[in-house]
């Protein structure tokens, strides 16, 4: 649960970048997690995850609700939970990269 919650918080930070495109949000988060710029292919894969999750959540809003309720902290009050869930899903992938630096 802590890992999913951490990904949700990173997704929230991505969402707060109001003027950015999805690709810019992805590139920003990639840099935060790995300390390098993503390749075009990496952005493409992460964008596909974003689109896939966004579609699943749009088709069934319960998917987004379940994801956003994981953990002790509440998610930020956002008008578009589908968007937040999709960005949190991308953040989960980023935090799972071998390049991600984590300390226990």
């Amino acid at each position: 649960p802590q890992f999913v919650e951490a990904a949700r918080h990173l997704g929230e930070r991505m969402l707060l970048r109001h003027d950015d495109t999805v690709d810019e949000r992805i590139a920003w988060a990639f840099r935060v997690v790995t300390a390098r710029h993503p390749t075009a292919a990496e952005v493409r894969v992460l964008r596909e995850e974003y689109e896939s999750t966004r579609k699943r959540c749009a088709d069934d809003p319960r998917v987004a609700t379940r994801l956003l309720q994981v953990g002790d902290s509440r998610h930020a009050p956002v008008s578009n939970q589908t968007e937040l869930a999709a960005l949190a899903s991308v953040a989960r992938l980023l935090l799972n990269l071998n390049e991600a630096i984590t300390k226990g």
Side-chain angles (χ1 to χ4, degrees):
Q2 294 89 355
F3 187 80
V4 175
E5 187 174 13
R8 179 171 41 85
H9 283 283
L10 180 55
E12 289 173 5
R13 289 178 64 195
M14 293 167 75
L15 187 61
L16 292 176
R17 301 180 65 79
H18 297 291
D19 295 334
D20 290 352
T21 66
V22 171
D23 287 351
E24 289 169 333
R25 289 173 174 166
I26 289 170
W28 173 83
F30 192 99
R31 284 191 314 272
V32 166
V33 172
T34 66
R36 71 171 177 84
H37 293 275
T39 66
E42 289 166 332
V43 170
R44 189 171 41 256
V45 167
L46 294 166
R47 175 88 148 134
E48 288 171 6
E49 174 63 21
Y50 167 84
E51 294 293 343
S52 173
T53 303
R54 195 167 188 279
K55 181 177 179 344
R56 275 195 321 271
C57 292
D59 291 345
D60 184 359
R62 293 174 297 180
V63 173
T65 300
R66 282 192 302 268
L67 174 63
L68 298 177
Q69 289 179 339
V70 173
D72 290 335
S73 66
R74 293 183 176 206
H75 66 80
V78 296
S79 59
N80 191 338
Q81 289 190 351
T82 297
E83 182 79 8
L84 176 55
L87 291 171
S89 184
V90 169
R92 275 193 332 201
L93 286 180
L94 290 172
L95 293 174
N96 268 307
L97 292 173
N98 287 338
E99 292 179 71
I101 299 170
T102 58
K103 292 187 178 202

